[in-house]
Amino acid sequence: MNQTTRAQLPPAAKIASNDVTDHELMVVGPQQEPDWPDRRLFSLPMLDIRAGRAALLSYFENTWRLTETLFSALINDEAYYVRPYHKTRHPFIFYYAHPVTFYVNKLLVAGLIDRPLNPHFEILFETGVDEMSWDDLHEGEQDIWPAVTEVKAYRNQVYALVRDVISTHPEFDKPITMDSPGWALVMCFEHERIHLETSSVLMRELPLKYLHQPRQWPPMPLVQSRLSDRFVRPQPGIDYPADNPMIEVLGSSVSLGKPAQWPTFGWDNEYGRDHRQVSTFKASKRLISNGEFYEFVSSGAYLEEKYWSEQGWAWRRFRNTRWPSFWVQDGPVGSHQYKLRTTFNVQPMQWDWPVVANFYEAKAYCAWRSARDGVNTPYRLLQEKEHMAMRDAAQQALVNGQQDHELPLLNDPVMNPAGGRHVRINHNLMLGSEGPVTQFLENAKGFNDVFGNVWQWCEDAFHPLPDFAIHPYYVDFSTPCFDNQHQMILGGSFISTGDEASVFARFHFRPHFFQHAGFRLAQGDKNSLLEGSKRYESDALLNQYMLFHYGSADEQRDAAITGNAGHPQTLPFMETMADLIKHYAPTFGHVLDLGCATGRASFELARHFEKVTGLDYSEAFIRAALLMKTQGSMPYERLETGRHTTTLMARVATDIDRERVVFVQGDAGALSESGLDEAAQFDAVLLSNLMCRLPDPAACLRQFTGAGSVLKQNGVLVLASPNSWMEQYTPRGHFLDGADSDATLAQLAALLPGFELVHQQDLPFMIREHRRKYEYVVSQVSVWRRLF
């Protein structure tokens, strides 16, 4: 077994030399694998796509070797056909063939080859499984897979083909760019490296009788004193750090998005530009360790429903989990004695390693710790923008807008050969497993493992950046996962290589899925929009709003039950509001749509205004709106009854210029803290069915009055509200309700000095809950012009 103590790890000088200075943006040419004892597995730095054929060939052969070494862990042919215990993934034979069929298919798409090698294989192994739920099992496919010998012969064919393409094709006489056919080749490299990691997780779930640890596998940082079979209950301060302090990170502005000309490959979701305002927050210095999570499990709280989300608890009950998936019971039930499953074997528990958990478990731990510690501000997971704010300045600089030529390549640690100044990061297979949460040096802000060791679950669901564009060589890499069902993971793990280990990487998995992923705690106040927006986060409500915004009259009603005459007549709400603003706005420059929800009114306003900013408190609504902007369409589910739904497609009209619209997640009651342009003044502002869902509606209206108003003089403020005041949203003392409509308007007038009321009307609309239940609502609409 390939083990080492921490003191036995090879010194940096033996890993690789590093003769590229931090101040040179030079082409990183072909890299050589270090001369390790036993030819241990090693990942090269990420490929510089300008470096030419020799570098391409070195990176390809290194990528190929990574896969072959991993799959050499399977001890016989039978192991290739064993599926994970959860039966939501294919057997290993699929993952052995899938990356190489990807080479053939993408090289065909790019025109680098002119014919398939094995059309049957290239269809059979083309598409993997993205299970919808933990109980979405895939059965009855065992007879479709070819023999291992056939797949190995096919792999040999593909290997020869790709080597020949790299060596002889004239495309590689010039540097690769995102727009050149060579981009398809480097896409294949990075795709294979993704599957290196996901296959290693599946092996971690495989019965040990099918595995052995490859001789070349990198060492694991095991503590020798723990390498005994006798279980010892962990002691804080001895077996794992006794404290994990929360470190404050001051508020700042951060930018996201990989520069288009950066000379490494990137997946489509990495590109685009986004600027986000980060309020002051706190995060735990270290990742949560096995020892810390043991406190949650051994207390019995892991089995208490009150700490879990509804979906998380359903998953836990379905799987009957009682502890993390990679903990191995080592005593009677209730004794809480465990060992640790690593990729290829079972070891004595390493209490100071980060716990590997799924998103549901991470959120449950946050809820339990909040209750145990009695904190005023509950613990949660990081947001993507907060992970950015935690990084060292050199890493932040890569995505903060400097010109490409100003940025040293080595500011991205994955470009640096292992053993250079970034040895503090456990990625790129420097080690063969996760390691202690204190082993790798803290960054300049005091955090350990901002990158590497294990991925970190985030509060954010996977979403596109503004100006996201699909790459024609892989049209469905990201977009199927912009569905509010995939949680973001950031930072990479010990086995993340290439693009996965880059500072630009933005990856995702379903919340019940296991990856080499853990988490750290975070705390934030009103900047933590995700905590406050939970009231809007259910899939059912998102689908309901998608139907209200984008469904046709026929889609929103069910004439088969009542006939069209059975429904009250209503006007199309979003179009009517947009037409009102068009009629009263003095000019058609910039309009603000507050409480934009999933964005239909914002798009309708783009018919008339040069720029539209849509803002909403709900992360899920903003993600949906961004997807509608980037793709122009999005599927959603219309509830029929009980378990039955109908899939519909929301579409933005083709005559609307979607590029005029910008969507922002923020607080309508605190516009100055919501990432809007501080200098922006608007020609018109729309608050559509929002007022009675605000905690302080009067404070919101004050933002449009006086010298600091965000509304231009002579601009119009359009308010639409059903006045459904409820204490769950608004304290009773803040209700803006009158005995009748005139009294309500009088209250609004008192809050809007310097405005005149220029129009009022009642606007009825209906919201469908299911085919036999509708909510009929009448919104009070008023239009106010700012005079001074």
Side-chain angles (χ1 to χ4, degrees):
M1 187 178 299
N2 191 8
Q3 299 175 354
T4 184
T5 65
R6 288 163 214 166
Q8 292 171 323
L9 290 176
K14 289 187 178 180
I15 300 177
S17 61
N18 177 18
D19 56 4
V20 182
T21 71
D22 290 347
H23 304 291
E24 296 174 303
L25 183 58
M26 59 179 292
V27 176
V28 179
Q31 300 286 316
Q32 298 298 317
E33 296 191 9
D35 186 18
W36 281 94
D38 301 327
R39 291 293 294 158
R40 63 152 279 195
L41 194 63
F42 180 86
S43 175
L44 291 176
M46 191 176 179
L47 177 70
D48 184 336
I49 59 176
R50 306 166 298 176
R53 292 183 194 274
L56 287 169
L57 191 58
S58 294
Y59 198 70
F60 167 62
E61 291 182 336
N62 179 249
T63 302
W64 195 274
R65 182 186 171 210
L66 294 175
T67 298
E68 286 293 336
T69 302
L70 179 67
F71 276 83
S72 72
L74 300 177
I75 64 171
N76 55 31
D77 286 3
E78 180 187 355
Y80 282 86
Y81 301 97
V82 177
R83 297 179 60 205
Y85 69 90
H86 45 71
K87 297 184 179 180
T88 58
R89 286 287 189 260
H90 289 312
F92 283 96
I93 192 69
F94 175 87
Y95 299 104
Y96 192 44
H98 171 66
V100 292
T101 60
F102 190 90
Y103 278 97
V104 176
N105 289 329
K106 295 308 178 187
L107 296 184
L108 277 168
V109 169
L112 294 172
I113 59 175
D114 57 9
R115 64 177 66 89
L117 277 181
N118 183 328
H120 173 61
F121 276 21
E122 286 138 22
I123 293 174
L124 176 64
F125 293 109
E126 181 177 20
T127 305
V129 176
D130 178 36
E131 78 280 4
M132 296 302 295
S133 180
W134 53 84
D135 56 355
D136 184 16
L137 311 182
H138 298 269
E139 302 282 7
E141 59 181 19
Q142 292 301 99
D143 296 336
I144 69 175
W145 307 116
V148 175
T149 53
E150 293 179 67
V151 172
K152 287 184 175 180
Y154 177 74
R155 284 181 60 88
N156 289 338
Q157 287 181 288
V158 176
Y159 179 79
L161 171 70
V162 176
R163 277 190 58 94
D164 182 66
V165 168
I166 294 172
S167 301
T168 65
H169 200 287
E171 175 63 29
F172 303 111
D173 291 334
K174 55 189 178 184
I176 294 171
T177 69
M178 189 187 299
D179 300 319
S180 69
W183 191 255
L185 177 68
V186 293
M187 177 184 290
C188 293
F189 299 159
E190 298 305 330
H191 173 263
E192 183 171 359
R193 286 169 179 260
I194 289 176
H195 279 281
L196 173 79
E197 179 157 2
T198 56
S199 294
S200 75
V201 177
L202 295 179
M203 287 188 185
R204 198 168 183 173
E205 296 173 332
L206 194 65
L208 289 175
K209 66 180 182 178
Y210 296 111
L211 293 167
H212 69 90
Q213 183 167 314
R215 180 176 58 85
Q216 303 95 335
W217 197 252
M220 295 186 293
L222 300 169
V223 175
Q224 290 291 346
S225 62
R226 297 188 194 136
L227 300 185
S228 71
D229 290 330
R230 186 173 65 87
F231 178 83
V232 178
R233 191 168 296 275
Q235 298 298 315
I238 298 175
D239 297 294
Y240 62 95
D243 65 332
N244 191 357
M246 302 294 289
I247 298 176
E248 185 176 72
V249 180
L250 297 178
S252 63
S253 297
V254 298
S255 298
L256 288 84
K258 186 170 186 173
Q261 300 306 314
W262 191 257
T264 62
F265 175 81
W267 295 105
D268 53 8
N269 68 77
E270 297 171 26
Y271 295 100
R273 296 297 292 168
D274 198 10
H275 304 282
R276 300 181 187 177
Q277 193 69 31
V278 184
S279 298
T280 297
F281 69 98
K282 294 179 180 179
S284 59
K285 178 181 179 65
R286 291 178 286 270
L287 299 168
I288 297 301
S289 65
N290 283 314
E292 290 170 283
F293 205 88
Y294 180 81
E295 298 170 18
F296 177 40
V297 173
S298 63
S299 71
Y302 186 96
L303 303 181
E304 294 187 44
E305 183 177 0
K306 65 182 179 181
Y307 297 119
W308 295 79
S309 67
E310 181 179 352
Q311 287 187 320
W313 183 249
W315 166 81
R316 197 210 69 76
R317 291 190 65 187
F318 182 82
R319 289 291 176 204
N320 194 28
T321 62
R322 294 172 177 271
W323 48 76
S325 183
F326 298 126
W327 290 13
V328 179
Q329 184 180 353
D330 191 37
V333 173
S335 67
H336 295 299
Q337 299 181 21
Y338 306 102
K339 290 188 175 182
L340 180 65
R341 174 63 189 267
T342 58
T343 305
F344 308 113
N345 45 53
V346 172
Q347 299 287 350
M349 179 59 75
Q350 304 294 299
W351 296 112
D352 59 350
W353 289 13
V355 66
V356 173
N358 69 18
F359 176 79
Y360 293 141
E361 291 173 312
K363 290 291 288 179
Y365 178 88
C366 290
W368 170 75
R369 272 289 301 270
S370 297
R372 191 199 72 172
D373 294 356
V375 293
N376 293 324
T377 303
Y379 298 121
R380 54 174 173 81
L381 305 178
L382 285 172
Q383 299 177 40
E384 182 182 21
K385 63 184 181 182
E386 291 170 342
H387 190 269
M388 177 68 67
M390 290 168 57
R391 302 178 184 186
D392 281 340
Q395 296 157 358
Q396 286 190 21
L398 297 183
V399 287
N400 275 347
Q402 287 94 329
Q403 295 298 312
D404 297 343
H405 66 270
E406 297 175 353
L407 304 173
L409 279 180
L410 298 188
N411 282 1
D412 190 346
V414 75
M415 300 301 296
N416 198 69
R421 64 188 178 90
H422 292 292
V423 293
R424 67 187 183 198
I425 298 176
N426 183 15
H427 69 170
N428 236 21
L429 275 170
M430 176 182 168
L431 294 173
S433 68
E434 64 268 27
V437 295
T438 56
Q439 176 168 348
F440 300 93
L441 296 178
E442 63 190 46
N443 72 359
K445 297 182 180 179
F447 294 102
N448 297 93
D449 297 321
V450 174
F451 291 98
N453 222 359
V454 294
W455 292 92
Q456 297 172 54
W457 288 107
C458 293
E459 293 284 356
D460 311 63
F462 188 48
H463 59 279
L465 299 177
D467 302 321
F468 166 83
I470 298 171
H471 197 282
Y473 292 158
Y474 200 163
V475 298
D476 57 354
F477 179 77
S478 295
T479 52
C481 301
F482 296 148
D483 59 359
N484 201 33
Q485 301 296 322
H486 292 73
Q487 292 298 136
M488 291 196 70
I489 54 174
L490 295 173
S493 77
F494 69 92
I495 199 173
S496 298
T497 70
D499 179 73
E500 280 195 304
S502 168
V503 299
F504 301 109
R506 305 175 74 241
F507 279 85
H508 57 279
F509 275 102
R510 292 189 180 274
H512 61 277
F513 192 77
F514 285 96
Q515 191 66 2
H516 302 296
F519 63 101
R520 72 176 75 233
L521 300 180
Q523 286 178 302
D525 295 317
K526 59 186 176 182
N527 67 296
S528 180
L529 299 178
L530 300 176
E531 292 295 311
S533 64
K534 283 181 180 175
R535 60 178 181 259
Y536 285 133
E537 293 303 286
S538 75
D539 293 342
L541 195 58
L542 175 62
N543 284 320
Q544 191 177 80
Y545 268 76
M546 290 298 293
L547 179 63
F548 176 51
H549 277 231
Y550 297 99
S552 67
D554 289 341
E555 289 172 335
Q556 296 196 43
R557 303 180 181 191
D558 200 323
I561 292 181
T562 62
N564 283 327
H567 293 282
Q569 295 302 304
T570 58
L571 295 172
F573 191 88
M574 304 303 165
E575 296 96 317
T576 301
M577 298 307 298
D579 287 343
L580 269 175
I581 293 180
K582 174 191 174 185
H583 181 76
Y584 287 101
T587 55
F588 301 107
H590 194 178
V591 60
L592 176 62
D593 181 8
L594 282 184
C596 65
T598 58
R600 175 65 184 274
S602 298
F603 291 121
E604 293 298 326
L605 289 166
R607 295 181 185 274
H608 317 299
F609 285 80
E610 295 177 9
K611 184 176 181 180
V612 182
T613 296
L615 182 146
D616 202 277
Y617 204 63
S618 165
E619 183 209 16
F621 286 176
I622 289 298
R623 282 199 306 270
L626 284 169
L627 188 60
M628 294 297 293
K629 176 185 175 179
T630 55
Q631 294 186 189
S633 63
M634 172 183 166
Y636 65 97
E637 298 297 316
R638 182 184 69 185
L639 178 64
E640 303 302 343
T641 183
R643 296 169 297 166
H644 302 285
T645 62
T646 299
T647 301
L648 300 176
M649 183 64 72
R651 291 184 173 86
V652 179
T654 56
D655 60 340
I656 291 175
D657 183 359
R658 304 196 304 271
E659 294 305 311
R660 292 184 176 187
V661 184
V662 174
F663 290 107
V664 178
Q665 184 187 1
D667 186 349
L671 295 179
S672 63
E673 300 178 16
S674 294
L676 298 180
D677 183 352
E678 293 184 3
Q681 271 198 313
F682 300 95
D683 300 282
V685 177
L686 169 64
L687 279 79
S688 179
N689 298 331
L690 174 68
M691 294 286 289
C692 56
R693 292 297 178 266
L694 294 175
D696 191 348
C700 176
L701 293 179
R702 283 194 289 270
Q703 298 173 111
F704 311 114
T705 64
S709 173
V710 298
L711 182 65
K712 292 180 179 178
Q713 187 172 350
N714 208 38
V716 294
L717 175 65
V718 179
L719 306 178
S721 177
N723 298 328
S724 301
W725 299 99
M726 301 171 67
E727 288 188 87
Q728 70 185 94
Y729 302 111
T730 311
R732 178 175 290 271
H734 290 171
F735 286 4
L736 300 183
D737 59 337
D740 54 30
S741 296
D742 289 342
T744 300
L745 290 174
Q747 284 202 53
L748 294 176
L751 291 168
L752 294 170
F755 283 74
E756 68 170 340
L757 178 65
V758 295
H759 175 78
Q760 60 173 305
Q761 70 178 83
D762 287 336
L763 183 60
F765 62 93
M766 281 202 312
I767 294 180
R768 171 183 170 136
E769 185 173 326
H770 56 75
R771 68 186 308 190
R772 293 184 179 274
K773 184 177 180 182
Y774 297 77
E775 183 179 6
Y776 179 75
V777 185
V778 180
S779 195
Q780 183 179 23
V781 179
S782 56
V783 181
W784 305 80
R785 188 178 305 282
R786 183 182 176 224
L787 302 178
F788 57 85

